[in-house]
Amino acid sequence: MKLFKNNFYFIFIVLMACTSAQINQTLGTINDALGDDALTSEQVASGLKEALINGISKGSGQASKLDGYFKNPQIKLPFPPDVQKVETKLRQIGLGDEVDKFVLTLNRGAEEAAKEAKPIFVNAIKAMTIQDAWGILKGDKDAATQYLMRTTSSQLKASFQPVIKRALDKTNATKYYSDIVTTYNKVPFVEKVNDDLEGYATDKAIEGLFTLIAKEEMNIRKDPMARTSELLKKVFAEQD
């Protein structure tokens, strides 16, 4: 096994600048020496896809459950920072309960919208090439997350925004925010505000999902126990 690990590490050094054809050629040569422990480029791609789907399933599952955002300080949606003065002023005049209610419903909206994320991520993973897979495996600790950000962010935003709107309406976050801003704008001598709640909630909800996915990716890279199949253990063996 030690010989396999050493040779596997050597593969990664050699493949740093390889094309897809060169990857297959190099793997074919080294496979003759490694025998049953050899990895094909298709196995690498399959292992990466399996790892990403596992991470996405866990990440989106955590985010979409009750309190998935609200009780997770890493991804909780706070009062929109662009109108933070609204929260401060409203708490000063005794409306802190209304602010808290709004923050809760804002996070409920994000939790509702997160249910729509998994199919978008899975489609991006299925489109991953062998070149993408090798780039991720020999890349930074969040290379897979960065890949998903590049390939899904625009689609996520387009798909999330109407879902966020429905979710915010369903959880009454829109109404609470409108009431809060209306109340604030009636306070004498304050500068009027009109923040884009849907845009803010959409961006923060997506940001939270990527935070959870990055956490799962790091877990799989660092913790052998998180690798739930022999293929995953084999693909990530060079990092141990």
mmCIF file with all atom_site columns, all heavy atoms in Angstrom, residues 13 26-27 41-42 45 59 66 72 101-102 108 118 120 173 188 195 198 230 237:
data_model
loop_
_atom_site.group_PDB
_atom_site.id
_atom_site.type_symbol
_atom_site.label_atom_id
_atom_site.label_alt_id
_atom_site.label_comp_id
_atom_site.label_asym_id
_atom_site.label_entity_id
_atom_site.label_seq_id
_atom_site.pdbx_PDB_ins_code
_atom_site.Cartn_x
_atom_site.Cartn_y
_atom_site.Cartn_z
_atom_site.occupancy
_atom_site.B_iso_or_equiv
_atom_site.pdbx_formal_charge
_atom_site.auth_seq_id
_atom_site.auth_comp_id
_atom_site.auth_asym_id
_atom_site.auth_atom_id
_atom_site.pdbx_PDB_model_num
ATOM 1   N N   . ILE A 1 13  ? 2.162   14.668 -9.464  1.00 0.00 ? 13  ILE A N   1
ATOM 2   C CA  . ILE A 1 13  ? 3.231   15.576 -9.872  1.00 0.00 ? 13  ILE A CA  1
ATOM 3   C C   . ILE A 1 13  ? 3.339   15.610 -11.390 1.00 0.00 ? 13  ILE A C   1
ATOM 4   O O   . ILE A 1 13  ? 3.436   16.664 -12.018 1.00 0.00 ? 13  ILE A O   1
ATOM 5   C CB  . ILE A 1 13  ? 4.580   15.138 -9.258  1.00 0.00 ? 13  ILE A CB  1
ATOM 6   C CG1 . ILE A 1 13  ? 4.497   15.161 -7.726  1.00 0.00 ? 13  ILE A CG1 1
ATOM 7   C CG2 . ILE A 1 13  ? 5.711   16.021 -9.750  1.00 0.00 ? 13  ILE A CG2 1
ATOM 8   C CD1 . ILE A 1 13  ? 4.234   16.528 -7.150  1.00 0.00 ? 13  ILE A CD1 1
ATOM 9   N N   . THR A 1 26  ? -0.412  8.583  -19.565 1.00 0.00 ? 26  THR A N   1
ATOM 10  C CA  . THR A 1 26  ? 0.433   8.417  -18.377 1.00 0.00 ? 26  THR A CA  1
ATOM 11  C C   . THR A 1 26  ? -0.144  7.374  -17.428 1.00 0.00 ? 26  THR A C   1
ATOM 12  O O   . THR A 1 26  ? 0.573   6.522  -16.893 1.00 0.00 ? 26  THR A O   1
ATOM 13  C CB  . THR A 1 26  ? 0.583   9.763  -17.638 1.00 0.00 ? 26  THR A CB  1
ATOM 14  O OG1 . THR A 1 26  ? 1.077   10.730 -18.557 1.00 0.00 ? 26  THR A OG1 1
ATOM 15  C CG2 . THR A 1 26  ? 1.540   9.624  -16.464 1.00 0.00 ? 26  THR A CG2 1
ATOM 16  N N   . LEU A 1 27  ? -1.448  7.439  -17.221 1.00 0.00 ? 27  LEU A N   1
ATOM 17  C CA  . LEU A 1 27  ? -2.091  6.465  -16.345 1.00 0.00 ? 27  LEU A CA  1
ATOM 18  C C   . LEU A 1 27  ? -1.916  5.049  -16.888 1.00 0.00 ? 27  LEU A C   1
ATOM 19  O O   . LEU A 1 27  ? -1.671  4.106  -16.134 1.00 0.00 ? 27  LEU A O   1
ATOM 20  C CB  . LEU A 1 27  ? -3.580  6.784  -16.203 1.00 0.00 ? 27  LEU A CB  1
ATOM 21  C CG  . LEU A 1 27  ? -3.926  7.918  -15.244 1.00 0.00 ? 27  LEU A CG  1
ATOM 22  C CD1 . LEU A 1 27  ? -5.394  8.275  -15.364 1.00 0.00 ? 27  LEU A CD1 1
ATOM 23  C CD2 . LEU A 1 27  ? -3.582  7.556  -13.816 1.00 0.00 ? 27  LEU A CD2 1
ATOM 24  N N   . SER A 1 41  ? -8.385  7.460  -15.135 1.00 0.00 ? 41  SER A N   1
ATOM 25  C CA  . SER A 1 41  ? -8.908  8.825  -15.106 1.00 0.00 ? 41  SER A CA  1
ATOM 26  C C   . SER A 1 41  ? -10.414 8.821  -14.884 1.00 0.00 ? 41  SER A C   1
ATOM 27  O O   . SER A 1 41  ? -10.958 9.724  -14.244 1.00 0.00 ? 41  SER A O   1
ATOM 28  C CB  . SER A 1 41  ? -8.555  9.543  -16.407 1.00 0.00 ? 41  SER A CB  1
ATOM 29  O OG  . SER A 1 41  ? -9.026  8.810  -17.525 1.00 0.00 ? 41  SER A OG  1
ATOM 30  N N   . GLU A 1 42  ? -11.096 7.792  -15.402 1.00 0.00 ? 42  GLU A N   1
ATOM 31  C CA  . GLU A 1 42  ? -12.547 7.694  -15.191 1.00 0.00 ? 42  GLU A CA  1
ATOM 32  C C   . GLU A 1 42  ? -12.875 7.451  -13.723 1.00 0.00 ? 42  GLU A C   1
ATOM 33  O O   . GLU A 1 42  ? -13.873 7.969  -13.209 1.00 0.00 ? 42  GLU A O   1
ATOM 34  C CB  . GLU A 1 42  ? -13.121 6.559  -16.050 1.00 0.00 ? 42  GLU A CB  1
ATOM 35  C CG  . GLU A 1 42  ? -13.172 6.848  -17.546 1.00 0.00 ? 42  GLU A CG  1
ATOM 36  C CD  . GLU A 1 42  ? -11.817 6.698  -18.222 1.00 0.00 ? 42  GLU A CD  1
ATOM 37  O OE1 . GLU A 1 42  ? -10.873 6.174  -17.580 1.00 0.00 ? 42  GLU A OE1 1
ATOM 38  O OE2 . GLU A 1 42  ? -11.690 7.119  -19.377 1.00 0.00 ? 42  GLU A OE2 1
ATOM 39  N N   . ALA A 1 45  ? -12.586 10.773 -11.894 1.00 0.00 ? 45  ALA A N   1
ATOM 40  C CA  . ALA A 1 45  ? -13.768 11.601 -12.135 1.00 0.00 ? 45  ALA A CA  1
ATOM 41  C C   . ALA A 1 45  ? -14.971 11.070 -11.373 1.00 0.00 ? 45  ALA A C   1
ATOM 42  O O   . ALA A 1 45  ? -15.724 11.831 -10.750 1.00 0.00 ? 45  ALA A O   1
ATOM 43  C CB  . ALA A 1 45  ? -14.064 11.650 -13.635 1.00 0.00 ? 45  ALA A CB  1
ATOM 44  N N   . GLY A 1 59  ? -24.834 19.121 2.702   1.00 0.00 ? 59  GLY A N   1
ATOM 45  C CA  . GLY A 1 59  ? -24.896 20.576 2.850   1.00 0.00 ? 59  GLY A CA  1
ATOM 46  C C   . GLY A 1 59  ? -26.283 21.126 2.614   1.00 0.00 ? 59  GLY A C   1
ATOM 47  O O   . GLY A 1 59  ? -26.803 21.896 3.421   1.00 0.00 ? 59  GLY A O   1
ATOM 48  N N   . LEU A 1 66  ? -35.385 22.670 9.337   1.00 0.00 ? 66  LEU A N   1
ATOM 49  C CA  . LEU A 1 66  ? -35.800 23.711 10.274  1.00 0.00 ? 66  LEU A CA  1
ATOM 50  C C   . LEU A 1 66  ? -34.604 24.176 11.095  1.00 0.00 ? 66  LEU A C   1
ATOM 51  O O   . LEU A 1 66  ? -33.885 23.352 11.670  1.00 0.00 ? 66  LEU A O   1
ATOM 52  C CB  . LEU A 1 66  ? -36.893 23.184 11.202  1.00 0.00 ? 66  LEU A CB  1
ATOM 53  C CG  . LEU A 1 66  ? -37.487 24.203 12.183  1.00 0.00 ? 66  LEU A CG  1
ATOM 54  C CD1 . LEU A 1 66  ? -38.267 25.265 11.440  1.00 0.00 ? 66  LEU A CD1 1
ATOM 55  C CD2 . LEU A 1 66  ? -38.377 23.493 13.214  1.00 0.00 ? 66  LEU A CD2 1
ATOM 56  N N   . ASN A 1 72  ? -27.504 28.210 12.824  1.00 0.00 ? 72  ASN A N   1
ATOM 57  C CA  . ASN A 1 72  ? -26.118 27.960 12.440  1.00 0.00 ? 72  ASN A CA  1
ATOM 58  C C   . ASN A 1 72  ? -25.428 29.311 12.274  1.00 0.00 ? 72  ASN A C   1
ATOM 59  O O   . ASN A 1 72  ? -25.637 30.015 11.292  1.00 0.00 ? 72  ASN A O   1
ATOM 60  C CB  . ASN A 1 72  ? -26.046 27.179 11.127  1.00 0.00 ? 72  ASN A CB  1
ATOM 61  C CG  . ASN A 1 72  ? -24.618 26.798 10.747  1.00 0.00 ? 72  ASN A CG  1
ATOM 62  O OD1 . ASN A 1 72  ? -23.654 27.399 11.206  1.00 0.00 ? 72  ASN A OD1 1
ATOM 63  N ND2 . ASN A 1 72  ? -24.486 25.804 9.887   1.00 0.00 ? 72  ASN A ND2 1
ATOM 64  N N   . LYS A 1 101 ? -38.341 38.941 15.058  1.00 0.00 ? 101 LYS A N   1
ATOM 65  C CA  . LYS A 1 101 ? -39.304 38.168 14.280  1.00 0.00 ? 101 LYS A CA  1
ATOM 66  C C   . LYS A 1 101 ? -38.954 38.210 12.799  1.00 0.00 ? 101 LYS A C   1
ATOM 67  O O   . LYS A 1 101 ? -39.051 37.205 12.092  1.00 0.00 ? 101 LYS A O   1
ATOM 68  C CB  . LYS A 1 101 ? -40.714 38.714 14.508  1.00 0.00 ? 101 LYS A CB  1
ATOM 69  C CG  . LYS A 1 101 ? -41.815 37.857 13.890  1.00 0.00 ? 101 LYS A CG  1
ATOM 70  C CD  . LYS A 1 101 ? -43.167 38.530 14.036  1.00 0.00 ? 101 LYS A CD  1
ATOM 71  C CE  . LYS A 1 101 ? -43.555 38.688 15.500  1.00 0.00 ? 101 LYS A CE  1
ATOM 72  N NZ  . LYS A 1 101 ? -44.906 39.293 15.643  1.00 0.00 ? 101 LYS A NZ  1
ATOM 73  N N   . PHE A 1 102 ? -38.541 39.375 12.338  1.00 0.00 ? 102 PHE A N   1
ATOM 74  C CA  . PHE A 1 102 ? -38.155 39.504 10.939  1.00 0.00 ? 102 PHE A CA  1
ATOM 75  C C   . PHE A 1 102 ? -36.942 38.644 10.610  1.00 0.00 ? 102 PHE A C   1
ATOM 76  O O   . PHE A 1 102 ? -36.913 37.945 9.591   1.00 0.00 ? 102 PHE A O   1
ATOM 77  C CB  . PHE A 1 102 ? -37.848 40.962 10.595  1.00 0.00 ? 102 PHE A CB  1
ATOM 78  C CG  . PHE A 1 102 ? -37.080 41.120 9.308   1.00 0.00 ? 102 PHE A CG  1
ATOM 79  C CD1 . PHE A 1 102 ? -37.698 40.904 8.090   1.00 0.00 ? 102 PHE A CD1 1
ATOM 80  C CD2 . PHE A 1 102 ? -35.733 41.444 9.327   1.00 0.00 ? 102 PHE A CD2 1
ATOM 81  C CE1 . PHE A 1 102 ? -36.986 41.021 6.903   1.00 0.00 ? 102 PHE A CE1 1
ATOM 82  C CE2 . PHE A 1 102 ? -35.017 41.560 8.148   1.00 0.00 ? 102 PHE A CE2 1
ATOM 83  C CZ  . PHE A 1 102 ? -35.648 41.351 6.927   1.00 0.00 ? 102 PHE A CZ  1
ATOM 84  N N   . ARG A 1 108 ? -36.086 31.533 7.729   1.00 0.00 ? 108 ARG A N   1
ATOM 85  C CA  . ARG A 1 108 ? -37.049 30.512 7.300   1.00 0.00 ? 108 ARG A CA  1
ATOM 86  C C   . ARG A 1 108 ? -37.191 30.540 5.772   1.00 0.00 ? 108 ARG A C   1
ATOM 87  O O   . ARG A 1 108 ? -37.340 29.492 5.129   1.00 0.00 ? 108 ARG A O   1
ATOM 88  C CB  . ARG A 1 108 ? -38.402 30.726 7.966   1.00 0.00 ? 108 ARG A CB  1
ATOM 89  C CG  . ARG A 1 108 ? -38.425 30.443 9.452   1.00 0.00 ? 108 ARG A CG  1
ATOM 90  C CD  . ARG A 1 108 ? -38.327 28.941 9.723   1.00 0.00 ? 108 ARG A CD  1
ATOM 91  N NE  . ARG A 1 108 ? -38.420 28.680 11.151  1.00 0.00 ? 108 ARG A NE  1
ATOM 92  C CZ  . ARG A 1 108 ? -37.364 28.483 11.943  1.00 0.00 ? 108 ARG A CZ  1
ATOM 93  N NH1 . ARG A 1 108 ? -36.148 28.511 11.428  1.00 0.00 ? 108 ARG A NH1 1
ATOM 94  N NH2 . ARG A 1 108 ? -37.524 28.248 13.225  1.00 0.00 ? 108 ARG A NH2 1
ATOM 95  N N   . LYS A 1 118 ? -30.128 21.401 -4.694  1.00 0.00 ? 118 LYS A N   1
ATOM 96  C CA  . LYS A 1 118 ? -29.435 20.148 -5.006  1.00 0.00 ? 118 LYS A CA  1
ATOM 97  C C   . LYS A 1 118 ? -29.468 19.775 -6.488  1.00 0.00 ? 118 LYS A C   1
ATOM 98  O O   . LYS A 1 118 ? -28.415 19.433 -7.058  1.00 0.00 ? 118 LYS A O   1
ATOM 99  C CB  . LYS A 1 118 ? -30.007 19.011 -4.150  1.00 0.00 ? 118 LYS A CB  1
ATOM 100 C CG  . LYS A 1 118 ? -29.272 17.695 -4.350  1.00 0.00 ? 118 LYS A CG  1
ATOM 101 C CD  . LYS A 1 118 ? -29.808 16.613 -3.427  1.00 0.00 ? 118 LYS A CD  1
ATOM 102 C CE  . LYS A 1 118 ? -29.115 15.281 -3.699  1.00 0.00 ? 118 LYS A CE  1
ATOM 103 N NZ  . LYS A 1 118 ? -29.601 14.214 -2.791  1.00 0.00 ? 118 LYS A NZ  1
ATOM 104 N N   . ILE A 1 120 ? -29.582 21.578 -9.125  1.00 0.00 ? 120 ILE A N   1
ATOM 105 C CA  . ILE A 1 120 ? -28.699 22.465 -9.891  1.00 0.00 ? 120 ILE A CA  1
ATOM 106 C C   . ILE A 1 120 ? -27.248 22.042 -9.708  1.00 0.00 ? 120 ILE A C   1
ATOM 107 O O   . ILE A 1 120 ? -26.467 21.982 -10.669 1.00 0.00 ? 120 ILE A O   1
ATOM 108 C CB  . ILE A 1 120 ? -28.905 23.926 -9.448  1.00 0.00 ? 120 ILE A CB  1
ATOM 109 C CG1 . ILE A 1 120 ? -30.336 24.379 -9.778  1.00 0.00 ? 120 ILE A CG1 1
ATOM 110 C CG2 . ILE A 1 120 ? -27.887 24.852 -10.116 1.00 0.00 ? 120 ILE A CG2 1
ATOM 111 C CD1 . ILE A 1 120 ? -30.690 25.740 -9.249  1.00 0.00 ? 120 ILE A CD1 1
ATOM 112 N N   . ALA A 1 173 ? -41.834 37.159 5.803   1.00 0.00 ? 173 ALA A N   1
ATOM 113 C CA  . ALA A 1 173 ? -40.650 38.005 5.980   1.00 0.00 ? 173 ALA A CA  1
ATOM 114 C C   . ALA A 1 173 ? -40.793 39.308 5.206   1.00 0.00 ? 173 ALA A C   1
ATOM 115 O O   . ALA A 1 173 ? -40.384 40.377 5.683   1.00 0.00 ? 173 ALA A O   1
ATOM 116 C CB  . ALA A 1 173 ? -39.396 37.263 5.531   1.00 0.00 ? 173 ALA A CB  1
ATOM 117 N N   . PRO A 1 188 ? -38.816 60.681 12.881  1.00 0.00 ? 188 PRO A N   1
ATOM 118 C CA  . PRO A 1 188 ? -38.378 62.022 12.444  1.00 0.00 ? 188 PRO A CA  1
ATOM 119 C C   . PRO A 1 188 ? -36.878 62.113 12.225  1.00 0.00 ? 188 PRO A C   1
ATOM 120 O O   . PRO A 1 188 ? -36.089 61.518 12.971  1.00 0.00 ? 188 PRO A O   1
ATOM 121 C CB  . PRO A 1 188 ? -38.815 62.923 13.620  1.00 0.00 ? 188 PRO A CB  1
ATOM 122 C CG  . PRO A 1 188 ? -39.905 62.162 14.299  1.00 0.00 ? 188 PRO A CG  1
ATOM 123 C CD  . PRO A 1 188 ? -39.545 60.714 14.150  1.00 0.00 ? 188 PRO A CD  1
ATOM 124 N N   . ASP A 1 195 ? -34.389 48.954 0.899   1.00 0.00 ? 195 ASP A N   1
ATOM 125 C CA  . ASP A 1 195 ? -33.416 47.928 0.561   1.00 0.00 ? 195 ASP A CA  1
ATOM 126 C C   . ASP A 1 195 ? -34.040 46.816 -0.279  1.00 0.00 ? 195 ASP A C   1
ATOM 127 O O   . ASP A 1 195 ? -35.240 46.553 -0.204  1.00 0.00 ? 195 ASP A O   1
ATOM 128 C CB  . ASP A 1 195 ? -32.837 47.317 1.844   1.00 0.00 ? 195 ASP A CB  1
ATOM 129 C CG  . ASP A 1 195 ? -31.605 46.485 1.577   1.00 0.00 ? 195 ASP A CG  1
ATOM 130 O OD1 . ASP A 1 195 ? -30.632 47.031 1.055   1.00 0.00 ? 195 ASP A OD1 1
ATOM 131 O OD2 . ASP A 1 195 ? -31.639 45.288 1.883   1.00 0.00 ? 195 ASP A OD2 1
ATOM 132 N N   . GLU A 1 198 ? -35.144 40.828 -1.414  1.00 0.00 ? 198 GLU A N   1
ATOM 133 C CA  . GLU A 1 198 ? -35.051 39.579 -2.168  1.00 0.00 ? 198 GLU A CA  1
ATOM 134 C C   . GLU A 1 198 ? -33.619 39.334 -2.655  1.00 0.00 ? 198 GLU A C   1
ATOM 135 O O   . GLU A 1 198 ? -33.100 38.220 -2.567  1.00 0.00 ? 198 GLU A O   1
ATOM 136 C CB  . GLU A 1 198 ? -36.007 39.593 -3.351  1.00 0.00 ? 198 GLU A CB  1
ATOM 137 C CG  . GLU A 1 198 ? -37.470 39.499 -2.955  1.00 0.00 ? 198 GLU A CG  1
ATOM 138 C CD  . GLU A 1 198 ? -38.390 39.704 -4.149  1.00 0.00 ? 198 GLU A CD  1
ATOM 139 O OE1 . GLU A 1 198 ? -37.933 39.487 -5.294  1.00 0.00 ? 198 GLU A OE1 1
ATOM 140 O OE2 . GLU A 1 198 ? -39.554 40.066 -3.950  1.00 0.00 ? 198 GLU A OE2 1
ATOM 141 N N   . GLU A 1 230 ? -15.028 2.546  -1.181  1.00 0.00 ? 230 GLU A N   1
ATOM 142 C CA  . GLU A 1 230 ? -13.651 2.185  -1.504  1.00 0.00 ? 230 GLU A CA  1
ATOM 143 C C   . GLU A 1 230 ? -13.074 3.105  -2.579  1.00 0.00 ? 230 GLU A C   1
ATOM 144 O O   . GLU A 1 230 ? -11.891 3.434  -2.560  1.00 0.00 ? 230 GLU A O   1
ATOM 145 C CB  . GLU A 1 230 ? -13.592 0.725  -1.960  1.00 0.00 ? 230 GLU A CB  1
ATOM 146 C CG  . GLU A 1 230 ? -13.820 -0.274 -0.841  1.00 0.00 ? 230 GLU A CG  1
ATOM 147 C CD  . GLU A 1 230 ? -12.841 -0.091 0.308   1.00 0.00 ? 230 GLU A CD  1
ATOM 148 O OE1 . GLU A 1 230 ? -11.621 0.042  0.043   1.00 0.00 ? 230 GLU A OE1 1
ATOM 149 O OE2 . GLU A 1 230 ? -13.284 -0.079 1.471   1.00 0.00 ? 230 GLU A OE2 1
ATOM 150 N N   . ALA A 1 237 ? -6.503  8.913  -1.427  1.00 0.00 ? 237 ALA A N   1
ATOM 151 C CA  . ALA A 1 237 ? -5.438  8.290  -0.633  1.00 0.00 ? 237 ALA A CA  1
ATOM 152 C C   . ALA A 1 237 ? -4.174  9.114  -0.613  1.00 0.00 ? 237 ALA A C   1
ATOM 153 O O   . ALA A 1 237 ? -3.450  9.156  0.385   1.00 0.00 ? 237 ALA A O   1
ATOM 154 C CB  . ALA A 1 237 ? -5.137  6.892  -1.182  1.00 0.00 ? 237 ALA A CB  1
#
